[in-house]
Amino acid sequence: MANKIDVKELLDAGVHFGHMTRKWDPNMAPYIYMERNGIHIINLYKTAAKIEEANEALKKIAASGRKILFVATKKQAKDIVAEKATACNMPFITERWPGGMLTNFVTIRKAVKKMASIDRMKKDGTFMTLSKKERLQVDRLRAKLEKNLGSIADMSRLPAALFVVDVKAEHIAIKEAQKLNIPVFAMVDTNSDPRPIDFVIPANDDASKSIDKVLSLVSTAIIDGLSDRKSDKDEQPAAAEATTETSASNE
């Protein structure tokens, strides 16, 4: 079972603050505790339970060696997501979502390979044989590709799951994931529809402190899953060695 989530920590981070009541999505009613000063307050006990549930699933995905793609293009989430995803060695998109990122993954991979081929040109000296104008064009292309796709350069196949901050902002990414039956984990605020989301984390998705708190808990679970995978890999050769030694001593 995943580590227990401390509700007080969620409270201190402001995870409970929803949107104004007039902006709410009625489908979020089960996760709303009360209304205060015209603002919906999220039930943090439900948030804690949902984080634990999501973490258990994310840990299993990480332990299986598959990738979880983090998506957050809104200003207050970008840097946090980049930092947390990097810490747990997962790909992320924090610039504009490239249309067809999942549904047309082959094309996206070609763009990533183009980036790698430019790097090779620079290493083997081919780059310097180009004219000054051509070098400038190639550099611009490389910078553009790096900005949009650099963080998924190591993602050689479709991710096993998406983790999204703000389902309204990232609706295109969610639609693509749904088409391919890729499960979606998301922080869902009171103004959003939780129905398309497989693992809903009811939470304030606007305040950086709240985003940081939830992402810290999520990334820790993924790191645990990765370390479980490493332990299993380390144990396999040891077990094989022990079997060999037992066989030899029985002969």
Side-chain angles (χ1 to χ4, degrees), residues 115 118-119 138-147:
M115 204 159 60
I118 292 170
D119 291 343
V138 169
D139 273 336
R140 278 184 188 149
L141 174 62
R142 176 68 178 78
K144 188 182 174 186
L145 290 169
E146 176 63 43
K147 186 180 179 187

Side-chain angles (χ1 to χ4, degrees), residues 104-227:
N104 198 5
F105 190 65
V106 175
T107 305
I108 296 292
R109 280 303 302 160
K110 279 180 186 166
V112 171
K113 282 177 182 168
K114 178 73 182 166
M115 204 159 60
S117 76
I118 292 170
D119 291 343
R120 275 196 303 276
M121 280 170 63
K122 289 192 172 188
K123 271 186 183 171
D124 65 19
T126 316
F127 181 72
M128 294 314 291
T129 63
L130 302 173
S131 69
K132 193 175 177 181
K133 188 182 174 184
E134 286 170 329
R135 288 203 301 270
L136 192 63
Q137 286 171 337
V138 169
D139 273 336
R140 278 184 188 149
L141 174 62
R142 176 68 178 78
K144 188 182 174 186
L145 290 169
E146 176 63 43
K147 186 180 179 187
N148 294 320
L149 304 171
S151 57
I152 60 152
D154 297 330
M155 199 172 79
S156 54
R157 58 182 175 144
L158 283 167
L162 244 63
F163 190 100
V164 172
V165 178
D166 194 333
V167 299
K168 271 182 176 276
E170 315 305 342
H171 64 279
I172 299 169
I174 293 165
K175 276 201 177 82
E176 287 192 33
Q178 283 177 306
K179 273 185 190 169
L180 300 168
N181 294 319
I182 295 171
V184 178
F185 295 72
M187 286 177 72
V188 187
D189 214 326
T190 59
N191 67 333
S192 303
D193 185 356
R195 290 175 301 175
I197 310 304
D198 301 280
F199 291 85
V200 174
I201 298 175
N204 174 355
D205 67 9
D206 289 310
S208 53
K209 205 173 172 188
S210 170
I211 297 165
D212 190 278
K213 183 74 225 168
V214 173
L215 266 290
S216 294
L217 295 166
V218 165
S219 58
T220 300
I222 293 170
I223 290 165
D224 287 348
L226 292 171
S227 65

Side-chain angles (χ1 to χ4, degrees), residues 10-186:
L10 298 178
L11 185 72
D12 291 343
V15 176
H16 59 299
F17 290 121
H19 279 261
M20 287 178 168
T21 50
R22 61 186 168 81
K23 288 187 175 180
W24 83 311
D25 187 305
N27 294 297
M28 280 298 285
Y31 306 111
I32 292 170
Y33 174 61
M34 65 181 288
E35 177 203 324
R36 189 193 297 155
N37 300 329
I39 288 171
H40 275 133
I41 302 297
I42 294 163
N43 185 331
L44 289 182
Y45 288 97
K46 290 195 174 181
T47 301
K50 287 292 188 181
I51 293 174
E52 285 173 16
E53 188 186 314
N55 281 358
E56 201 61 36
L58 289 165
K59 190 176 171 182
K60 281 179 185 164
I61 292 169
S64 73
R66 291 171 298 162
K67 294 289 185 186
I68 298 142
L69 176 62
F70 284 79
V71 186
T73 56
K74 64 198 279 182
K75 193 182 170 189
Q76 59 271 53
K78 287 164 74 160
D79 292 346
I80 298 165
V81 166
E83 180 200 330
K84 303 297 180 189
T86 303
C88 58
N89 197 27
M90 290 295 164
F92 58 91
I93 294 285
T94 53
E95 295 303 321
R96 185 183 64 83
W97 175 263
M101 164 79 212
L102 302 176
T103 50
N104 198 5
F105 190 65
V106 175
T107 305
I108 296 292
R109 280 303 302 160
K110 279 180 186 166
V112 171
K113 282 177 182 168
K114 178 73 182 166
M115 204 159 60
S117 76
I118 292 170
D119 291 343
R120 275 196 303 276
M121 280 170 63
K122 289 192 172 188
K123 271 186 183 171
D124 65 19
T126 316
F127 181 72
M128 294 314 291
T129 63
L130 302 173
S131 69
K132 193 175 177 181
K133 188 182 174 184
E134 286 170 329
R135 288 203 301 270
L136 192 63
Q137 286 171 337
V138 169
D139 273 336
R140 278 184 188 149
L141 174 62
R142 176 68 178 78
K144 188 182 174 186
L145 290 169
E146 176 63 43
K147 186 180 179 187
N148 294 320
L149 304 171
S151 57
I152 60 152
D154 297 330
M155 199 172 79
S156 54
R157 58 182 175 144
L158 283 167
L162 244 63
F163 190 100
V164 172
V165 178
D166 194 333
V167 299
K168 271 182 176 276
E170 315 305 342
H171 64 279
I172 299 169
I174 293 165
K175 276 201 177 82
E176 287 192 33
Q178 283 177 306
K179 273 185 190 169
L180 300 168
N181 294 319
I182 295 171
V184 178
F185 295 72

